[in-house]
Amino acid sequence: MRRLRLPLALKPLVLKRTPRPHGGEGGMIKRLRRRFVIVVMALVGLLMLSMVAISMANAQSSFDQLVSRSLDRVLKEWPATGDDGMDTGMEHLPVLWVDLSDDNVVLRSNESQFSIDVDELAAAMADAVTSSKMEGRLSSYHLTWKMTQTSSGWRIAIADTSSVDAARMAQLMNDIKLAVVGMLVLLAITFALSHWALAPVEKAWKQQHQFVADASHELKTPLAVILANTQILRGEQSDIPAESRRWIDSTAEEAERMKGLVEGLLELARTEEGAGSARRDVDVDLSGTVEGEALQFDAVAFESGCTIESDVTEGLHVMGDPDQLERLVKTLLDNACKYAAAGTQVKVRLARQGSVAEYSVTNQGTPIDAKDLPHVFDRFYRSDKARARSTGGFGLGLAIAKGIAESHGGKISVTSSEADGTRFCVRLPLKAGA
């Protein structure tokens, strides 16, 4: 069967986009870049889809008008007998029409060599005769029909829409190709400009990090001198009036606290250094680390009036720094024991979840307020300001724990409620093959 192709001059809609910058390096900067790129690409992607949809809707409307005009011309304007060689050109599609009357059936076409499969013609005629509507479409045959009543009977016009359907599909494919190419180009440009866009943020981040590290190092020397001098003075308390001894003790205590703060800042700087890579990368028996630390914290829990109940899956290994991972485990255990209510259990869990090891510590006590949960891992953040001094911390422990988890390619999270207690959960990727 010969199919008629109408040369339609269709121009695909070209979408213009304005690239948006993004960028940065380091753990925090990389996350910021990813989020920015995702947001930009999602917004531009929606715009692309909208433009493609509008383009196709406009094209569909034009095609429908062309088909309708071609059929109406036969039904309303074309004479029952006339020149069958009229030029179809760009304005009209090839149309076959059938005049039905009581006496005979007349078959005509607006093109001298119009060809249609007999089965397809029969299907179109049957659809028109049995339908309660005055028009219809047979998509599988690329035929559209319309009928009207004449003085002698009925006229059924059948248009070959194969050329229109092909043009519509070509229009859709061109729009999709342009959208995909445009998105890929935009993605490349966005990544390229991201370094420039976030350069000031990256510089400020590095300067802050360097300042914390440098200041902590500079403070270590005077603190060492202060602590050494107070130790000497304490050793000679017999020569010092009792009234003055308490000032020496107070100075020593505050110097020790400051030493702890400086060490915490240095540790925080070290965990954030390297932007996602641990300082060491060796095989760590995480099961043994968690089990050992849980046993060691039995005494701490007893002093706090609670107990530790552990459930550790054996044989879970991760790659990383054993000292840092030990500190991570200790930090969550210490935090749980410190804030657990008397007479309750601190539940320690380590289990395999697919390709990750999930370490969690849950305690029962005063839940963390919902407004404080997003800030739990912030530096120096204390939800209970009144207990900041009494608990002996600086608000750096959980920030360091987060840095350790992320430097090992993992994640840390917290949930807290009256019914379920406060649960800190760390997910670390298991060693390959473990």
Side-chain angles (χ1 to χ4, degrees):
M1 184 189 73
R2 183 177 68 85
R3 278 295 175 194
L4 301 172
R5 296 303 176 98
L6 185 64
L8 297 176
L10 298 172
K11 295 182 179 180
L13 180 63
V14 179
L15 304 177
K16 295 183 178 180
R17 294 157 299 279
T18 303
R20 296 183 63 183
H22 195 252
E25 291 182 2
M28 184 273 290
I29 301 297
K30 285 182 179 179
R31 289 194 297 273
L32 181 61
R33 177 196 293 178
R34 284 197 297 268
R35 291 172 185 173
F36 186 83
V37 169
I38 290 172
V39 170
V40 170
M41 299 306 294
L43 291 176
V44 176
L46 289 175
L47 177 62
M48 289 280 192
L49 289 176
S50 300
M51 296 301 291
V52 169
I54 292 173
S55 173
M56 289 307 303
N58 290 335
Q60 182 66 42
S61 177
S62 298
F63 293 146
D64 289 344
Q65 289 178 12
L66 175 62
V67 173
S68 181
R69 185 167 61 246
S70 300
L71 292 172
D72 288 342
R73 187 164 185 257
V74 167
L75 294 176
K76 298 178 181 179
E77 300 175 11
W78 201 289
T81 58
D83 184 9
D84 291 346
M86 178 175 247
D87 178 31
T88 58
M90 285 292 298
E91 296 298 324
H92 301 283
L93 292 175
V95 177
L96 177 76
W97 73 89
V98 180
D99 286 324
L100 301 175
S101 64
D102 295 335
D103 301 328
N104 58 5
V105 176
V106 179
L107 184 67
R108 291 191 178 93
S109 170
N110 65 351
E111 187 180 83
S112 59
Q113 296 184 353
F114 189 96
S115 176
I116 187 172
D117 186 82
V118 175
D119 293 336
E120 294 181 6
L121 175 60
M125 290 294 295
D127 188 54
V129 171
T130 58
S131 176
S132 60
K133 299 180 180 179
M134 301 300 288
E135 57 185 311
R137 174 175 172 79
L138 281 75
S139 301
S140 58
Y141 296 141
H142 301 285
L143 297 175
T144 299
W145 60 266
K146 187 180 280 190
M147 62 187 297
T148 188
Q149 191 168 11
T150 64
S151 57
S152 59
W154 291 89
R155 174 171 290 184
I156 303 174
I158 303 171
D160 183 345
T161 62
S162 57
S163 59
V164 169
D165 294 338
R168 180 168 50 242
M169 182 57 64
Q171 169 87 10
L172 176 61
M173 294 306 298
N174 285 336
D175 284 351
I176 291 176
K177 288 177 182 177
L178 285 171
V180 171
V181 171
M183 291 290 287
L184 292 175
V185 171
L186 176 65
L187 183 62
I189 293 175
T190 301
F191 269 114
L193 292 179
S194 63
H195 295 277
W196 171 81
L198 288 182
V201 178
E202 180 187 358
K203 182 179 179 181
W205 176 260
K206 287 182 177 179
Q207 287 177 341
Q208 180 197 21
H209 177 81
Q210 191 63 42
F211 170 77
V212 171
D214 291 345
S216 300
H217 277 294
E218 291 298 326
L219 286 171
K220 287 181 72 177
T221 300
L223 276 173
V225 173
I226 293 172
L227 285 169
N229 290 341
T230 53
Q231 284 294 99
I232 293 172
L233 291 173
R234 279 179 163 180
E236 299 178 359
Q237 288 192 14
S238 59
D239 299 330
I240 300 174
E243 183 66 24
S244 301
R245 291 175 191 170
R246 64 188 184 94
W247 302 113
I248 297 173
D249 293 338
S250 176
T251 302
E253 289 175 5
E254 291 304 317
E256 287 289 349
R257 278 182 55 81
M258 194 169 183
K259 179 185 176 184
L261 173 59
V262 170
E263 289 175 349
L265 288 171
L266 280 171
E267 183 64 27
L268 183 62
R270 282 193 291 265
T271 58
E272 292 176 345
E273 190 175 5
S277 62
R279 285 180 296 166
R280 286 197 284 166
D281 194 28
V282 299
D283 185 346
V284 178
D285 181 2
L286 189 61
S287 298
T289 301
V290 173
E291 201 162 1
E293 294 303 324
L295 287 173
Q296 287 190 22
F297 268 83
D298 272 335
V300 178
F302 179 78
E303 290 179 2
S304 299
C306 59
T307 58
I308 291 181
E309 185 263 321
S310 61
D311 181 10
V312 178
T313 300
E314 297 295 332
L316 298 185
H317 289 246
V318 299
M319 296 299 294
D321 188 308
D323 294 334
Q324 286 191 349
L325 291 172
E326 183 179 317
R327 174 153 189 172
L328 170 61
V329 172
K330 282 183 177 179
T331 298
L332 297 189
L333 276 168
D334 180 64
N335 188 76
C337 293
K338 192 180 295 181
Y339 294 107
T344 61
Q345 273 191 339
V346 174
K347 296 181 180 179
V348 180
R349 298 286 184 270
L350 179 66
R352 179 193 294 269
Q353 297 292 338
S355 61
V356 301
E358 186 177 274
Y359 165 59
S360 65
V361 181
T362 307
N363 72 339
Q364 296 292 332
T366 305
I368 302 173
D369 197 282
K371 72 177 187 305
D372 292 318
L373 279 176
H375 307 287
V376 164
F377 300 104
D378 292 352
R379 303 176 188 179
F380 300 107
Y381 188 82
R382 304 298 298 267
S383 59
D384 190 349
K385 309 298 182 184
R387 298 173 64 184
R389 296 283 296 189
S390 63
T391 55
F394 301 97
L396 290 176
L398 292 177
I400 293 172
K402 179 183 178 184
I404 294 173
E406 292 180 350
S407 72
H408 286 74
K411 292 183 179 180
I412 187 170
S413 60
V414 59
T415 58
S416 186
S417 66
E418 190 75 42
D420 300 326
T422 300
R423 179 176 184 265
F424 284 87
C425 180
V426 178
R427 293 170 63 87
L428 298 171
L430 288 165
K431 177 187 174 183

